[in-house]
Amino acid sequence: MAVQPTRIGLAGLAVMGQNLALNIASKGFPISVYNRTTSKVDETVERAKKEGNLPVYGFHDPESFVNSIQKPRVIIMLVKAGAPVDQTIKTLSAYLEKGDCIVDGGNEWYENTERREKAVSENGFLYLGMGVSGGEEGARNGPSLMPGGSFDAYKNIEDILLKVAAQVRDSGPCVTYIGKGGSGNFVKMVHNGIEYGDMQLIAEAYDVLKSVGKLSNEELHGVFTEWNKGELESFLVEITADIFAIKDDKGDGHLVDKVLDKTGMKGTGKWTVQQAAELSVPSPTIESSLDARFLSGLKDERVQAAKVFKEGELARIWKGGCIIRAIFLDRIKQAYDRNAELANLLVDPDLAYFDSYRRERLPANLVQAQRDYFGAHTYERTDVEGSFHTEWFKIARQSKSNM
């Protein structure tokens, strides 16, 4: 327990929360940490000791956690978006005082942030919705930070954010006050949408090199390493090169080939496309990348769709009277006449026009490997049941240091 009040608090100690807490502490700011599952508190404090006796102080109950922080208090939440955020605010608010500040560092829908800012202001609390980008490694060593909401709240935490953010030579800390309301969350949402597009472009380049060019993983590692030295230099190209070099610790070959080609998502890319549509802004690359993620995980949906859309009845009633009536609808009806159990039109020989859908394996395995690399989102394997997480960065760093 801290003898003196700490400078800041952090609630929510999954991978991102732990790493951001350690980052803050490593910059000289004593920090109190709290998690509903108390084992995560102890784990974080233990990590702090191992990583240099960092000033991280753990608390098992919300009251002592809040009371350990100097006034006006600033508490960062890193919990799952949605209901858990509201629950955490409710838990903490019971012990907060007027002028205290809550910062939501998760990927939250910007309108939720605006709703919460208005709600907590009625009790005299300040509120920020802050996008945090850079994954677990960025959270530990320097993320890009996108705070929006109360400007007074931003000024309360600015000294910390300026030191905790990634530092870029010639341009300074990667943080700025974005604006009012949910603007920080909105900007982070757009960032993640762009990220979807970048990852899909890389995956498709990988697909061409592997499927058409027949490059091995060693050759792919060389290509992406070389690309990262020129105008394509970027975090995603760098980690992609790393991924191709990592061997499977459960068997022969490379790990990337064992990652199931089924891409997960947290929703920010979908929100970006929805907002683009609402604002009549074209976003074809992001839309296509979202479609690719949907395609990679469609199996369960196809099974359900087969039960609902048997015998092509919708196609039949759309043949006349409606705007989309067309001769092509006859071909849809005929497809279901041939096979009433048809899971999806795309598997009918006469209508199998979507190459991606017809492929047994998509390059989505690389996208999921990237997601696990930078965000610890886990992945499934092709050969073993369950969810897995690999410390790609540590393995890659060790292999580079041995070269």
Side-chain angles (χ1 to χ4, degrees):
M1 183 173 289
V3 177
Q4 298 292 329
T6 58
R7 175 66 179 81
I8 189 171
L10 189 145
L13 296 172
V15 175
M16 286 290 287
Q18 283 191 24
N19 282 4
L20 188 61
L22 293 169
N23 183 355
I24 292 169
S26 71
K27 299 304 188 297
F29 301 101
I31 183 169
S32 300
V33 295
Y34 166 74
N35 195 81
R36 192 172 61 175
T37 305
T38 56
S39 61
K40 289 289 185 182
V41 176
D42 300 335
E43 183 182 308
T44 306
V45 171
E46 191 59 34
R47 275 190 66 188
K49 289 178 182 175
K50 289 180 179 178
E51 296 184 23
N53 285 318
L54 300 174
V56 174
Y57 303 93
F59 297 87
H60 289 179
D61 68 279
E63 183 175 10
S64 58
F65 164 67
V66 171
N67 289 336
S68 71
I69 305 163
Q70 74 177 46
K71 301 176 185 179
R73 303 178 182 92
V74 176
I75 297 176
I76 299 175
M77 299 182 297
L78 273 168
V79 298
K80 189 176 179 181
V85 176
D86 291 307
Q87 182 56 54
T88 303
I89 292 172
K90 183 179 179 182
T91 299
L92 298 176
S93 294
Y95 310 105
L96 294 176
E97 299 174 32
K98 188 175 180 180
D100 289 348
C101 172
I102 300 172
V103 183
D104 179 8
N107 283 327
E108 185 55 273
W109 176 239
Y110 76 98
E111 291 181 341
N112 285 342
T113 294
E114 293 177 349
R115 168 179 61 79
R116 290 171 183 140
E117 182 183 13
K118 183 178 179 182
V120 303
S121 68
E122 294 174 1
N123 293 320
F125 308 148
L126 306 179
Y127 199 83
L128 281 177
M130 182 173 70
V132 179
S133 182
E136 56 179 310
E137 197 59 33
R140 179 63 184 86
N141 297 310
S144 173
L145 299 170
M146 295 154 260
S150 163
F151 184 70
D152 289 338
Y154 172 72
K155 296 307 289 186
N156 282 353
I157 197 177
E158 184 180 39
D159 61 327
I160 297 176
L161 300 186
L162 289 172
K163 289 189 177 180
V164 165
Q167 309 292 316
V168 177
R169 190 180 301 168
D170 302 327
S171 64
C174 292
V175 59
T176 191
Y177 174 70
I178 302 296
K180 296 179 180 179
S183 57
N185 295 116
F186 193 94
V187 168
K188 178 57 164 51
M189 174 193 74
V190 174
H191 165 280
N192 283 18
I194 295 168
E195 180 183 286
Y196 275 45
D198 283 347
M199 292 168 74
Q200 185 61 26
L201 286 167
I202 291 170
E204 291 182 14
Y206 154 64
D207 195 27
V208 171
L209 293 171
K210 181 180 175 69
S211 302
V212 180
K214 306 299 181 185
L215 270 65
S216 66
N217 286 316
E218 288 85 358
E219 290 169 322
L220 287 164
H221 169 70
V223 168
F224 278 86
T225 299
E226 196 61 32
W227 284 356
N228 198 48
K229 295 176 182 176
E231 63 182 39
L232 294 178
E233 180 184 355
S234 67
F235 174 73
L236 287 172
V237 170
E238 179 185 358
I239 71 168
T240 301
D242 289 346
I243 286 167
F244 291 129
I246 293 175
K247 297 290 182 69
D248 182 15
D249 62 347
K250 300 184 187 302
D252 296 329
H254 289 78
L255 181 54
V256 67
D257 295 325
K258 304 295 176 59
V259 176
L260 186 67
D261 54 326
K262 183 176 180 180
T263 310
M265 56 186 140
K266 295 291 186 180
T268 44
K270 181 179 177 181
W271 295 343
T272 306
V273 172
Q274 289 172 329
Q275 282 297 293
E278 286 286 334
L279 298 170
S280 300
V281 175
S283 56
T285 301
I286 301 173
E287 288 173 15
S288 296
S289 66
L290 187 64
D291 288 341
R293 293 199 182 194
F294 289 151
L295 265 172
S296 75
L298 269 182
K299 183 172 285 187
D300 293 341
E301 287 81 352
R302 292 199 307 269
V303 172
Q304 294 304 313
K307 297 174 183 176
V308 176
F309 299 120
K310 286 185 178 179
E311 301 180 6
E313 274 295 286
L314 291 181
R316 184 188 65 77
I317 67 168
W318 286 343
K319 284 172 64 176
C322 70
I323 302 302
I324 65 168
R325 62 185 183 273
I327 291 173
F328 183 73
L329 292 169
D330 272 331
R331 295 174 66 187
I332 295 175
K333 177 70 165 59
Q334 290 161 12
Y336 281 103
D337 287 343
R338 283 191 292 273
N339 178 11
E341 300 300 317
L342 192 65
N344 190 297
L345 285 170
L346 304 181
V347 299
D348 180 78
D350 195 40
L351 297 169
Y353 52 85
F354 205 170
D355 290 342
S356 292
Y357 192 91
R358 291 188 289 123
R359 287 182 54 182
E360 183 178 343
R361 188 162 172 84
L362 293 169
N365 58 308
L366 177 60
V367 176
Q368 193 59 20
Q370 291 172 331
R371 294 182 77 244
D372 189 54
Y373 189 125
F374 66 69
H377 292 299
T378 73
Y379 58 88
E380 295 176 68
R381 291 177 60 104
T382 58
D383 55 348
V384 183
E385 292 280 333
S387 295
F388 301 88
H389 168 56
T390 295
E391 293 188 321
W392 305 84
F393 180 82
K394 287 185 180 178
I395 297 169
R397 185 167 53 188
Q398 286 167 2
S399 94
K400 287 175 184 175
S401 66
N402 293 333
M403 291 175 66

